[in-house]
Amino acid sequence: MFTTRPTLQGTFGMVSSTHWLASQSAMAVLEDGGNAFDAAVAAGFVLHVVEPHLNGPAGEVPVILAPAGGEVRVLCGQGVAPAGATVEHYRSLGLDLVPGTGPLAAAVPGAFDAWMLLLRDHGTKSLADVLKYAIGYAEDGHAPVERVCETVEAVRELFEREWPSSAEVYLPGGTPPRPGELFRNPTLAATWRRLMAEAGKRGGASRVAEIEAAREVWRDGFIAEALVRQAGRPTMDTSGERHVGTLSADDLRGWEASYEAPVTYDWNGWTLCKAGLWSQGPAFLQQFALLPASVAELPEYGSAEYVHLLVEGCKLAMADREAWYGDAGVADGVAVGELLSAEYNAERRRLVGEKASRDLRPGAPGGREPRLAAHALAVAAGDTPGADAWGGTAMAGVGEPTVAGDGGTRGDTCHIDIVDRWGNMLSATPSGGWLQSNPVVPELGFPLGTRLQMTWLEDGLPNSLTPGRRPRTTLSPSLALKDGVPVLAFGTPGGDQQDQWQVHFFLGVVMRDAVRGGLDLQGAIDAVNWHTEAFPGSFHPREMRAGSLTVESRMPPEVVEELRRRGHVVALGGAWSEGRLCAVAREPGAGVLSAGANARGMQGYAVGR
């Protein structure tokens, strides 16, 4: 079959990411003797520079890692709500939703500490070894991708009127970055140089001690001081008012990244691994729990029946996400095992009919009655304004932030997958801290994040805004094992679409013919894809489009016609508009490594040899 690129194959190492400079920087680390974890940290910091509209150091990153011969673990780089971030406080400001921009939406930054923890525990390289690529691109410049330029242009007026520190970085001389011209962020480069200098003084000669010292500088040094100052500056946000944030020095000192066991689900001989209920990862697993146990029982790949089955299963899993997911999920009595149980999903499966559902239908695990946020109930009932804040049209799976003039953004992210010659494997989804999320911290060259916009300003829900709890995130890296051995790492940007596009991708790997004796990663990435917005969105203003289904215009007309006959409200997106997938694989017996990357958006690349 035709694919945009070959599935790469080799034996030394494979990298796939959403930007070619990150992929090549990671490969350079592998060539220099580093392992997959060293390479991932280098790539992560490069992504902060070259995709600043999609992620930043004060954002967040969940990582699923599989050290060669070791246990699969989740590294949580999702920070918690600050101590002052209470429902009562935000309600006292006249807010019904957490703003989509500004310091009120800032959780404790998580990405930097997670990358440092990964480097300390699983890497081999020094701080300078992994930061030199990002410093080089920030200091000497890089040619920005078109989306960076478009994003800056979209918020130009906000930057010039309200966020001068952002204008200083992204509108030098009053002009936004241009493709083909070098763009620099010398303040960010200076931040990392100062961090290394101070960490060197505090930590001494030891690699681990230096990394620990860098974490201390972030939490309790000049970086922490600058972040807290920024949070205290009145900032215009999507509410139309200027607010100060709640992030404090104690919040920064009191949080650090951590490891936990993955949530897993066994399907058709594979073990699928995801992060827990603080992410939307279990919704990916539940979609497989709703499918037949055997591939042979699935409808024909790509058929209308196949798409209908996946879309309706997605609606049920995402309805459960709304009712039961959050950092308080287990504390409220609902364990992820109940949501993935055979008995529960057999009951849920009976709700899938011949016609598309337009209802939000969460289940009742263990007989517990689901409770949804008042806003979610309102959007499900059609009692809120439509998409006016976004120009009245659905974004057809563009996989990049949708930015309004006030800086409001649905948000998006980056992705990195790496496997090395020793068998170390990793999947990471860095996000948040977007250039359009908050003003650039003048002393640092990057902004705070806005992940708290995913919480509800209503007490008693698993995802209520609560000090010390993680907001439920859409970030959802994936790792799959065969016979207990890590074989496949994959993921995508896309917010609420991540665990829709990934389901179809994984089924494409499982159901389609092999390529050159290996997994057809590129074929599964390039396959026609789709998404639905038939559940409350995770990003401000938390909309829902009942019955919606956006498909790539490459989908066969007869399939589109049949989906419409089944009651789906089908919108045709661009021919290459759905999905931003990356993937790497390892065939344990053959010793062959492989990789593929998404061609949509013309910036994701896989490299390897």
Side-chain angles (χ1 to χ4, degrees):
M1 69 163 279
F2 168 79
T3 60
T4 58
R5 303 160 178 176
T7 293
L8 305 184
Q9 293 188 313
T11 57
F12 179 81
M14 290 286 162
V15 180
S16 179
S17 88
T18 49
H19 197 290
W20 63 85
L21 291 179
S23 295
Q24 192 53 53
S25 297
M27 194 66 200
V29 174
L30 295 182
E31 296 284 5
D32 193 42
N35 64 23
F37 310 116
D38 296 311
V41 177
F45 280 89
V46 168
L47 288 173
H48 296 160
V49 179
V50 300
E51 293 192 323
H53 60 314
L54 301 179
N55 78 136
E60 42 275 326
V61 58
V63 182
I64 303 183
L65 58 145
E71 290 186 325
V72 176
R73 303 290 286 170
V74 171
L75 172 56
C76 175
Q78 174 57 65
V80 299
T86 65
V87 169
E88 181 182 18
H89 172 59
Y90 285 56
R91 287 286 189 178
S92 74
L93 299 173
L95 298 170
D96 296 320
L97 292 174
V98 177
T101 61
L104 277 177
V108 177
F112 177 86
D113 197 62
W115 288 128
M116 290 296 100
L117 200 62
L118 181 67
L119 182 65
R120 184 196 73 182
D121 295 343
H122 298 281
T124 65
K125 294 291 189 179
S126 70
L127 203 57
D129 288 336
V130 296
L131 284 179
K132 66 182 179 182
Y133 305 94
I135 291 172
Y137 289 125
E139 199 166 59
D140 301 326
H142 68 283
V145 295
E146 290 181 4
R147 288 289 185 179
V148 172
C149 310
E150 292 168 2
T151 300
V152 174
E153 186 61 50
V155 290
R156 175 204 282 265
E157 185 180 348
L158 175 69
F159 283 10
E160 291 176 336
R161 186 182 71 246
E162 296 283 349
W163 297 5
S165 60
S166 296
E168 185 175 343
V169 174
Y170 290 104
L171 294 168
T175 304
R178 291 191 180 98
E181 296 183 3
L182 288 180
F183 174 72
R184 297 174 174 85
N185 188 342
T187 304
L188 177 59
T191 295
W192 297 143
R193 289 195 182 281
R194 181 177 174 185
L195 172 89
M196 289 193 298
E198 294 197 9
K201 291 177 183 176
R202 293 191 187 197
S206 162
R207 186 188 79 91
V208 169
E210 184 186 37
I211 294 168
E212 279 299 293
R215 298 175 74 201
E216 290 174 10
V217 172
W218 177 276
R219 289 197 297 259
D220 201 21
F222 79 96
I223 293 178
E225 293 169 359
L227 292 173
V228 172
R229 276 195 301 273
Q230 183 62 44
R233 293 185 175 111
T235 301
M236 179 65 70
D237 59 37
T238 52
S239 72
E241 302 289 338
R242 295 180 183 87
H243 292 112
V244 299
T246 60
L247 185 68
S248 72
D250 286 343
D251 294 319
L252 286 165
R253 278 193 294 265
W255 183 87
E256 61 182 72
S258 59
Y259 296 101
E260 58 192 56
V263 177
T264 64
Y265 186 77
D266 293 332
W267 185 82
N268 199 57
W270 292 81
T271 298
L272 303 169
C273 302
K274 284 284 193 176
L277 289 173
W278 55 271
S279 77
Q280 72 175 6
F284 171 89
L285 303 178
Q286 189 177 357
Q287 288 174 77
F288 285 93
L290 289 163
L291 292 177
S294 170
V295 169
E297 299 177 63
L298 288 171
E300 179 186 356
Y301 181 85
S303 66
E305 186 181 0
Y306 169 89
V307 177
H308 174 78
L309 180 66
L310 265 58
V311 171
E312 294 305 296
C314 171
K315 292 176 184 177
L316 294 173
M318 290 300 195
D320 277 347
R321 183 193 75 167
E322 285 308 308
W324 303 112
Y325 287 28
D327 211 11
V330 175
D332 285 356
V334 177
V336 69
E338 293 181 84
L339 294 170
L340 298 178
S341 70
E343 181 182 27
Y344 177 69
N345 285 288
E347 178 184 338
R348 299 285 279 153
R349 195 180 300 119
R350 287 193 284 270
L351 296 176
V352 177
E354 287 296 310
K355 293 289 187 179
S357 169
R358 296 201 176 192
D359 299 320
L360 188 64
R361 302 179 291 178
R368 304 173 187 83
E369 284 302 309
R371 178 188 159 198
L372 297 172
H375 182 86
L377 290 170
V379 297
D383 293 337
T384 62
D388 293 345
W390 307 102
T393 57
M395 293 300 290
V398 293
E400 299 283 352
T402 306
V403 184
D406 62 358
T409 175
R410 292 175 188 269
D412 213 338
T413 179
C414 312
H415 190 78
I416 307 165
D417 296 309
I418 304 178
V419 61
D420 64 28
R421 63 190 185 273
W422 300 289
N424 298 302
M425 185 177 284
L426 167 144
S427 179
T429 310
S431 185
W434 309 299
L435 69 87
Q436 67 276 16
S437 65
N438 259 301
V440 166
V441 183
E443 307 93 325
L444 304 179
F446 60 84
L448 287 164
T450 54
R451 194 59 58 174
L452 294 185
Q453 67 180 291
M454 296 184 166
T455 62
W456 295 114
L457 295 182
E458 186 176 337
D459 288 318
L461 299 167
N463 194 32
S464 297
L465 178 64
T466 308
R469 285 183 181 170
R470 294 167 288 190
R472 189 209 74 215
T473 179
T474 53
L475 306 178
S476 193
S478 302
L479 198 137
L481 289 70
K482 201 77 182 286
D483 300 323
V485 179
V487 170
L488 178 63
F490 57 99
T492 178
D496 295 311
Q497 283 77 55
Q498 289 182 31
D499 285 310
Q500 302 184 54
W501 295 336
Q502 290 187 77
V503 168
H504 180 46
F505 163 79
F506 183 75
L507 286 172
V509 171
V510 173
M511 295 177 73
R512 295 166 73 92
D513 294 334
V515 56
R516 289 188 241 146
L519 300 174
D520 185 8
L521 303 183
Q522 197 63 48
I525 289 169
D526 288 348
V528 176
N529 219 323
W530 60 84
H531 81 271
T532 179
E533 296 172 80
F535 47 84
S538 296
F539 294 91
H540 188 278
R542 312 300 293 270
E543 298 164 349
M544 170 177 168
R545 295 178 175 87
S548 68
L549 178 59
T550 300
V551 305
E552 289 182 323
S553 59
R554 293 183 292 136
M555 184 172 282
E558 63 274 16
V559 175
V560 174
E561 182 180 351
E562 174 61 17
L563 289 168
R564 285 174 171 156
R565 190 193 68 77
R566 288 173 178 255
H568 297 278
V569 183
V570 180
L572 296 181
W576 295 89
S577 58
E578 296 284 319
R580 288 291 183 273
L581 282 143
C582 301
V584 300
R586 177 176 180 264
E587 299 283 350
V592 174
L593 311 179
S594 56
N598 176 63
R600 300 165 178 90
M602 297 187 294
Q603 65 184 67
Y605 273 87
V607 294
R609 70 169 178 88

